[in-house]
Amino acid sequence: MKIGIGNDHVAVEYKKIISQYIEEKYGYEVIDFGTDSTERFDYPIAGEAVANAVVSGQVEKGIVLCGTGVGISLAANKVNGIRCVTCSEPYSAKLSREHNNTNMLAFGARVVGIELAKMIVDAWLEGKFEGGRHQRRIDLLAEIEEKQKKQ
Ligand code: RB5
């Protein structure tokens, strides 16, 4: 499994800790889309880069971090095919996989402590899409994207 990860200047340390955590606990390869600088960095750049890696198949899932997790998740969700959830607790992370088949996770380095962040990552990585009635709703989400393309 390959996981893409990206962040803005606020979340450089969190990105490093979470990357190492995933590599050691799950043995997944984590591909870093930056930034590694604490100079001001615009979150849409990293959000788009990780999202493009997910839809192209370069990585299977993506994790993006900024101060709140909000801005970078908005950027990711602008990319067709991305379903990115912003989480501050593990329950939504787990259900977002089971019901919404999320392919990206976002959280805020200024919002959640690092140990809670690890629990969110665990819940999200271990959650399995249940399909069934939920697939119909995922298909409806994709239809919204198709309608937007025609506008
Ligand atoms: C940066 O100050 C901050 O706006 C950013 O990290 C993020 O929280 C945006 O949603």
Side-chain angles (χ1 to χ4, degrees):
M1 168 89 84
K2 287 184 185 169
I3 307 279
I5 199 162
N7 59 285
D8 74 357
H9 55 287
V10 175
V12 175
E13 269 312 299
Y14 266 56
K15 185 264 300 287
K16 290 179 182 167
I17 294 167
I18 293 297
S19 297
Q20 188 179 2
Y21 178 71
I22 292 170
E23 284 166 349
E24 287 176 359
K25 178 164 181 176
Y26 295 95
Y28 296 161
E29 183 182 351
V30 179
I31 300 179
D32 185 354
F33 289 83
T35 183
D36 280 333
S37 169
T38 51
E39 297 292 311
R40 282 208 177 104
F41 180 86
D42 296 331
Y43 56 78
I45 296 168
E48 183 185 13
V50 177
N52 281 334
V54 172
V55 294
S56 73
Q58 182 186 353
V59 297
E60 280 151 273
K61 289 177 180 163
I63 297 177
V64 283
L65 322 172
C66 64
T68 58
V70 173
I72 204 157
S73 69
L74 292 176
N77 277 315
K78 293 285 181 195
V79 174
N80 288 334
I82 292 299
R83 293 175 301 281
C84 180
V85 62
T86 311
C87 282
S88 301
E89 35 72 31
Y91 178 80
S92 301
K94 179 172 186 281
L95 269 288
S96 83
R97 288 286 308 128
E98 293 177 355
H99 291 192
N100 315 113
N101 200 15
T102 48
N103 47 15
M104 289 185 65
L105 167 69
F107 55 85
R110 289 174 170 158
V111 179
V112 295
I114 194 65
E115 295 306 319
L116 180 56
K118 289 175 187 172
M119 292 172 79
I120 292 168
V121 167
D122 286 338
W124 188 71
L125 287 177
E126 293 169 22
K128 302 248 180 313
F129 182 49
E130 291 175 353
R133 69 186 189 281
H134 302 298
Q135 184 58 54
R136 186 176 71 249
R137 294 155 186 170
I138 303 300
D139 294 342
L140 286 168
L141 291 175
E143 276 183 32
I144 296 172
E145 290 176 343
E146 291 306 313
K147 282 187 269 185
Q148 289 289 312
K149 282 182 205 166
K150 288 177 193 147
Q151 279 182 6

